[in-house]
Amino acid sequence: MASTFEQVADILADHCSIPRAQITPESHILDDLAIDSLDFLDSAYALDKHFGVRLPMERFASDDLWEVGQVSAAIDELLAAKGRAA
């Protein structure tokens, strides 16, 4: 099974029409990938649905969760709290 990062990157690439090879764990969602707010919200919803979790949107507001690797780690934490793996 693909890692959480790989799944997140695939979803971002698909929903935002970004070349998959451009997305790394260090990619900043706004600065590096130039994902606008509507695409971001659409992608966040797709991630929530795919993983069965709810991303902590307040962490985005505090600028704590904008790198793709950070998003992947947050999803892993949420899944671990539910007793599941990605």
Side-chain angles (χ1 to χ4, degrees), residues 9-10 12-23 29 33-35:
D10 290 344
L12 290 174
D14 183 51
H15 279 82
C16 300
S17 301
I18 298 170
R20 172 58 188 85
Q22 183 180 338
I23 303 171
I29 292 170
L33 303 178
I35 295 174

Side-chain angles (χ1 to χ4, degrees), residues 6-7 13 20 22 53-54 56 59 66 68 70 73-74 77 83:
E6 294 296 328
Q7 293 174 68
R20 172 58 188 85
Q22 183 180 338
V53 298
R54 186 157 164 72
R59 287 183 61 191
W66 285 106
V68 178
Q70 293 170 326
E77 290 171 14

